[in-house]
């Protein structure tokens, strides 16, 4: 049943599809276009219907027609093609069968080690087959594991007509990692009643609550003169930047928060005496606290401008996505469906808020309620990424089980 799952996954991760946030094209990189066309052919080869590539939004879509007589909701399964901002060229997956809990030498030459001391999550995979990187690239399980699982589940359903299912739609999209992939998705044309992104982490993850998210670009204008005659004249933009950041709650940062706690994250700072720029992301699950965080950013700018008696600090705020719980909690039956499917397969559901977002965060507000299900990978976005073969098999099973339950 899984004979094509791992070869499919290995082929996918060896295809470079990194997105580019500086690009103005859709998708942001031509490697994603090329990969999309590979997926189109594969969907056609396994017998899917209505297979198409939309060159306006970069999505590949296809249909598995219903094999039952009664009308049931149409389900969508969605995954993204791009990988994150880390080296993704010449990915060389390494297999570690019957993992024994010891450290894994990813790269002998560079002495790069995947250690259970640094990554205690490895202890959850004793006896399993791990797929890792060679230490020089990411792996790409985020989200090519999701694509492989959806493709394999569709192949299973195509080959075994004894498994009842309603109409299923699949979509593989671009540019999720740079936060713009879902913006152009044709929800109305997708013709699904609800969907799931296969874009989560370890086995059991089932998420329908995400952050509310915004970006703040803070630009600071200084005044540069010779430092020897600077008294009462120089205005150092860099010093104002430091003061701006110091005015924020210093413990409300990613490295000191977890669970449902929100944060301010300064992830880019550049400049000189004359001008400086800071880029923050703002995150909170609670909508009121999210609004308050944005107001604090703006309020600090106002106070600094009052101090300098001119507008030296400007803030450009942009909302990025919202907490999908606000939509999905209106009808939790789709969460219950996925939860029941996991329980039927002896998988313990782990229902916790995402400390981030998925395409489902945007799609839910666009009219397609879309919780997130595990794809199996861990340590995403870097050289220590890995996935267990067994985890991908379980994710594939969940897709099939959801289809069966929906048909009852």
């Amino acid at each position: 049943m899984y004979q094509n799952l791992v070869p499919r996954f290995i082929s996918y991760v060896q295809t470079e599809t990194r997105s580019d946030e500086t690009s103005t094209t859709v998708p942001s990189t031509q490697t994603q276009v090329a990969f999309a066309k590979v997926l189109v052919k594969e969907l056609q080869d396994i017998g899917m219907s209505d297979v198409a590539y939309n060159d306006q939004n970069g999505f590949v879509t296809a249909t598995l027609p219903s094999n039952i007589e009664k009308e049931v909701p149409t389900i969508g399964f969605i995954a993204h093609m791009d990988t994150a901002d880390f080296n993704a060229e010449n990915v060389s997956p390494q297999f570690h069968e019957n993992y024994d809990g010891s450290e894994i030498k990813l790269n002998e030459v560079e002495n790069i080690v995947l250690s259970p001391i640094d990554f205690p999550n490895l202890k959850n995979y004793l006896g399993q087959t791990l797929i890792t990187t060679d230490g020089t690239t990411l792996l790409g399980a985020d989200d090519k594991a999701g694509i492989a699982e959806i493709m394999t589940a569709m192949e299973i359903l195509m080959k075994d007509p004894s498994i009842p299912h309603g109409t299923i739609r699949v979509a593989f999209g671009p540019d999720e990692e740079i936060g713009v992939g879902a913006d152009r998705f044709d929800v109305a044309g997708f013709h699904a009643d609800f969907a799931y992104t296969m874009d989560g982490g370890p086995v059991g993850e089932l998420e329908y609550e995400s952050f509310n998210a915004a970006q703040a670009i803070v630009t600071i204008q200084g005044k540069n003169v010779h430092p020897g005659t600077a008294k009462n004249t120089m205005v150092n933009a860099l010093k104002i930047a430091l003061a701006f950041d110091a005015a924020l709650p210093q413990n409300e940062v990613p490295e000191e928060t977890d669970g449902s706690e929100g944060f301010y994250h300064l992830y880019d700072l550049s400049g000189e005496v004359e001008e400086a720029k800071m880029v923050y992301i703002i995150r909170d699950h609670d909508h009121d606290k999210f609004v308050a965080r944005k107001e604090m950013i703006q309020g600090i700018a106002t106070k600094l401008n009052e101090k300098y008696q001119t507008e030296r600090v400007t803030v450009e705020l942009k909302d990025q996505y919202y907490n999908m719980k606000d939509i999905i909690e209106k009808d939790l039956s789709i969460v219950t469906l996925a939860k029941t499917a996991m329980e039927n397969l002896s998988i313990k559901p782990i229902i916790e808020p995402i400390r981030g977002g998925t395409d489902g965060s945007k799609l839910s507000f666009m009219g397609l309620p879309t919780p997130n299900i595990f794809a199996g990978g861990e340590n995403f976005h870097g050289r220590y990424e890995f996935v267990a073969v067994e985890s991908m098999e379980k994710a594939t099973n969940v897709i099939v089980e959801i289809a069966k339950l929906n048909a009852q």
Side-chain angles (χ1 to χ4, degrees), residues 362-383:
K362 290 186 175 181
L363 295 175
S364 294
F365 280 87
M366 292 165 66
L368 182 66
T370 309
N372 189 43
I373 293 175
F374 71 91
E378 299 232 32
N379 302 347
F380 291 151
H381 296 188
R383 68 180 81 248

Side-chain angles (χ1 to χ4, degrees), residues 276-301:
K277 186 171 82 169
M278 314 165 76
V279 184
Y280 289 88
I281 59 172
I282 304 165
R283 300 289 188 264
D284 212 296
H285 292 102
D286 182 274
H287 184 267
D288 291 341
K289 292 180 180 179
F290 175 60
V291 171
R293 289 184 184 281
K294 292 189 289 182
E295 290 174 346
M296 175 170 279
I297 288 278
Q298 192 64 66
I300 294 170

Side-chain angles (χ1 to χ4, degrees), residues 100-407:
D100 63 4
S102 62
E103 69 176 26
I104 298 172
K105 183 78 77 171
L106 299 178
N107 192 295
E108 290 279 356
V109 174
E110 299 187 26
N111 194 32
I112 299 171
V113 174
L114 178 61
S115 169
I117 296 174
D118 298 323
F119 301 101
N121 50 345
L122 283 165
K123 70 180 183 298
N124 299 321
Y125 297 92
L126 295 176
Q128 300 187 35
T129 297
L130 301 186
I131 305 175
T132 70
T133 75
D134 68 354
T136 64
T137 70
L138 51 64
L139 180 61
D142 179 14
D143 187 28
K144 288 170 180 174
I147 298 176
E149 291 151 7
I150 293 170
M151 190 77 76
T152 302
M154 295 305 104
E155 185 177 40
I156 290 169
L157 293 171
M158 287 290 300
K159 288 182 176 181
D160 188 351
S162 71
I163 303 174
H165 60 82
T167 300
I168 297 174
R169 292 279 284 161
V170 302
F172 304 131
D175 295 335
E176 190 269 354
E177 296 291 358
I178 58 174
V180 299
D183 292 346
R184 295 172 181 253
F185 186 62
D186 183 5
V187 168
F190 193 49
H191 299 298
D193 294 289
F194 58 90
Y196 301 96
T197 47
M198 301 299 298
D199 192 20
V203 170
E205 281 193 352
L206 172 57
E207 301 155 326
Y208 68 93
E209 181 176 359
S210 63
F211 276 138
N212 295 289
Q215 180 188 68
I217 300 176
V218 182
T219 303
I220 303 168
Q221 297 298 327
K223 184 193 298 182
N224 196 9
V225 297
H226 191 286
T229 57
K231 186 173 181 179
N232 299 325
T233 303
M234 177 184 284
V235 180
N236 191 329
L238 293 170
K239 298 288 283 186
I240 297 175
L242 294 175
F244 187 103
D245 190 71
L248 290 167
Q250 295 300 293
N251 61 338
E252 296 181 15
V253 291
E255 58 268 36
E256 295 192 34
T257 54
D258 60 10
S260 60
E261 298 170 326
F263 58 76
Y264 305 89
H265 177 40
L266 174 62
Y267 73 91
D268 188 71
L269 169 61
S270 60
E272 51 193 20
V273 172
E274 190 74 24
E275 182 178 275
K277 186 171 82 169
M278 314 165 76
V279 184
Y280 289 88
I281 59 172
I282 304 165
R283 300 289 188 264
D284 212 296
H285 292 102
D286 182 274
H287 184 267
D288 291 341
K289 292 180 180 179
F290 175 60
V291 171
R293 289 184 184 281
K294 292 189 289 182
E295 290 174 346
M296 175 170 279
I297 288 278
Q298 192 64 66
I300 294 170
T302 299
K303 288 181 180 179
L304 286 169
N305 287 333
E306 289 172 352
K307 175 181 177 180
Y308 290 97
Q309 299 181 335
T310 188
E311 190 176 70
R312 294 203 172 276
V313 182
T314 58
V315 176
E316 180 185 343
L317 278 166
K318 179 182 179 182
D319 287 355
Q320 296 171 307
Y321 57 84
Y322 301 109
N323 189 347
M324 59 187 174
K325 178 184 177 183
D326 295 342
I327 301 298
I328 295 173
E329 68 179 354
K330 295 175 182 177
D331 181 4
L332 288 172
S333 63
I334 61 177
V335 176
T336 301
L337 177 63
K339 179 175 179 288
T340 303
M342 292 185 193
E343 291 171 340
N344 287 356
L345 298 168
S346 299
I347 297 171
K348 182 180 179 180
I350 303 170
I351 303 177
E352 297 176 345
I354 311 171
R355 287 186 61 78
T358 69
D359 278 342
S361 302
K362 290 186 175 181
L363 295 175
S364 294
F365 280 87
M366 292 165 66
L368 182 66
T370 309
N372 189 43
I373 293 175
F374 71 91
E378 299 232 32
N379 302 347
F380 291 151
H381 296 188
R383 68 180 81 248
Y384 301 107
E385 185 181 5
F386 70 89
V387 67
V389 171
E390 292 82 355
S391 298
M392 289 195 294
E393 292 176 351
K394 288 176 181 177
T396 303
N397 287 343
V398 168
I399 297 170
V400 174
E401 186 67 15
I402 287 173
K404 288 168 59 178
L405 289 173
N406 185 58

